[in-house]
Amino acid sequence: MADSSALPELPQESINDALQVNKDLERVIEAVEDISVQLTWMGYDMVALRTSPELATSMQKLEEAYNKCRAIICGDRQEPESESSI
């Protein structure tokens, strides 16, 4: 049988470096996954807008309604842009 003392031991710094690299890789993978999801939604939105132009108008109205509600709930002192131009 092989003697266990014949196996070289890695210094503690190497182990810590390997663990840090693993953590960094996990963060990078998560970031790439997030970007992939965003790109998928962007592609979906492009297809939806090209096949249904009235969807863009509906989304703009929805965004304006959201901004108005947010201004009221958050207590923003500024008027939403669409109201100030009326």
Side-chain angles (χ1 to χ4, degrees):
M1 292 194 61
D3 191 5
S4 63
S5 63
L7 296 175
E9 278 191 37
L10 292 175
Q12 186 65 32
E13 299 88 31
S14 295
I15 295 171
N16 289 340
D17 289 344
L19 291 174
Q20 186 62 41
V21 168
N22 282 342
K23 288 178 186 178
D24 292 343
L25 286 173
E26 286 179 18
R27 276 189 243 129
V28 169
I29 289 170
E30 281 188 40
V32 169
E33 287 174 351
D34 290 342
I35 291 170
S36 175
V37 169
Q38 290 174 355
L39 287 173
T40 302
W41 278 111
M42 287 173 63
Y44 173 81
D45 290 344
M46 288 298 297
V47 170
L49 290 174
R50 286 181 185 228
T51 57
S52 179
E54 62 271 359
L55 183 61
T57 306
S58 298
M59 289 185 66
Q60 185 177 11
K61 289 179 182 178
L62 181 62
E63 185 177 4
E64 289 171 3
Y66 166 78
N67 288 333
K68 288 178 186 178
C69 289
R70 184 168 184 238
I72 291 170
I73 291 173
C74 294
D76 292 345
R77 300 291 184 225
Q78 298 176 353
E79 291 286 318
E81 290 180 19
S82 60
E83 287 185 2
S84 61
S85 62
I86 297 177

